[in-house]
Amino acid sequence: MVNAILGGMNPRHILSSGLAAMPVNANGMPFDMSHIYASGNVAADMLANVTAEATGRVLATRLYNMTEDKGMKDFLSFLIARDTLHQQQWLAAIEEMGGLNASLPIPNSFPQEHEAQEHAYYCLNTSLDKPLPEGRWSNGPAYDGRGQFSARQQPEILGDEPLLGNARPGSGAQSEQIDGITPPKP
């Protein structure tokens, strides 16, 4: 029994339930529905489903490549095929709603004139020591056909420096934070 547990089983499974069925995943995390993504927006949920199926398919292909057991390979091959189907189903549901172009941006019900559209199509380089890599996502027409991708190597500062109040006494902060004294710069 100990050899079986240490040879691949979850020790908590025998300790907590005596090998009875437990409502947990393979890592011992309880099924609490936290893995369910429901935004209330069908297009957003369908894209999340495509991503979830893609992630599941990646895991199944990794497991497939790790085993030599024919039965396990057959089972994983079935799961990989089902993930393919599910990805295609969710994409077909988006197509029934007019396709990605009609669905984007999500939500498409938000009035575009209320969006600060001047910030909608440029990519910011947040690296301080190297230029932004170039790609389809940073140069050329946007996927939705409504803008042009561009890149900004040095983002402009759009806001003011925040003025934070002093820390309150008894908060565990440094004396300088409580008294509002700015430490000298090195």
Side-chain angles (χ1 to χ4, degrees), residues 2 27 32 38 67 88 108 122 128-129 136-137 140 147 152 165:
V2 171
N27 293 324
D32 61 2
T67 187
Q88 295 300 308
N108 61 7
Y122 64 80
L128 299 175
D129 60 345
R136 166 70 179 86
W137 46 270
R152 294 195 181 171

Side-chain angles (χ1 to χ4, degrees), residues 33-145:
M33 304 308 285
S34 65
H35 63 288
I36 303 295
Y37 303 101
S39 69
N41 180 295
V42 177
D45 292 345
M46 292 301 105
L47 285 174
N49 288 345
V50 171
T51 303
E53 294 294 343
T55 304
R57 194 169 192 274
V58 166
L59 175 62
T61 59
R62 286 177 180 157
L63 291 169
Y64 183 93
N65 290 325
M66 290 174 64
T67 187
E68 297 300 321
D69 182 273
K70 181 176 177 354
M72 183 57 70
K73 280 192 177 279
D74 288 346
F75 172 65
L76 291 166
S77 179
F78 171 81
L79 292 180
I80 291 165
R82 298 308 295 173
D83 285 337
T84 298
L85 166 71
H86 296 148
Q87 288 178 48
Q88 295 300 308
Q89 285 179 313
W90 308 137
L91 290 168
I94 291 170
E95 185 179 293
E96 283 185 357
M97 295 184 303
L100 277 175
N101 281 337
S103 299
L104 293 174
I106 297 172
N108 61 7
S109 59
F110 183 78
Q112 293 298 129
E113 63 272 10
H114 295 283
E115 178 181 311
Q117 292 178 353
E118 66 270 20
H119 303 292
Y121 296 101
Y122 64 80
C123 182
L124 294 173
N125 183 8
T126 57
S127 177
L128 299 175
D129 60 345
K130 55 187 169 188
L132 184 73
E134 290 188 27
R136 166 70 179 86
W137 46 270
S138 65
N139 186 12
Y143 184 80
D144 63 12

Side-chain angles (χ1 to χ4, degrees), residues 1-2 4-5 9-22:
M1 177 74 86
V2 171
I5 293 170
M9 292 178 59
N10 182 352
R12 184 155 193 92
H13 193 189
I14 189 144
L15 297 172
S16 297
S17 72
L19 296 179
M22 293 178 60

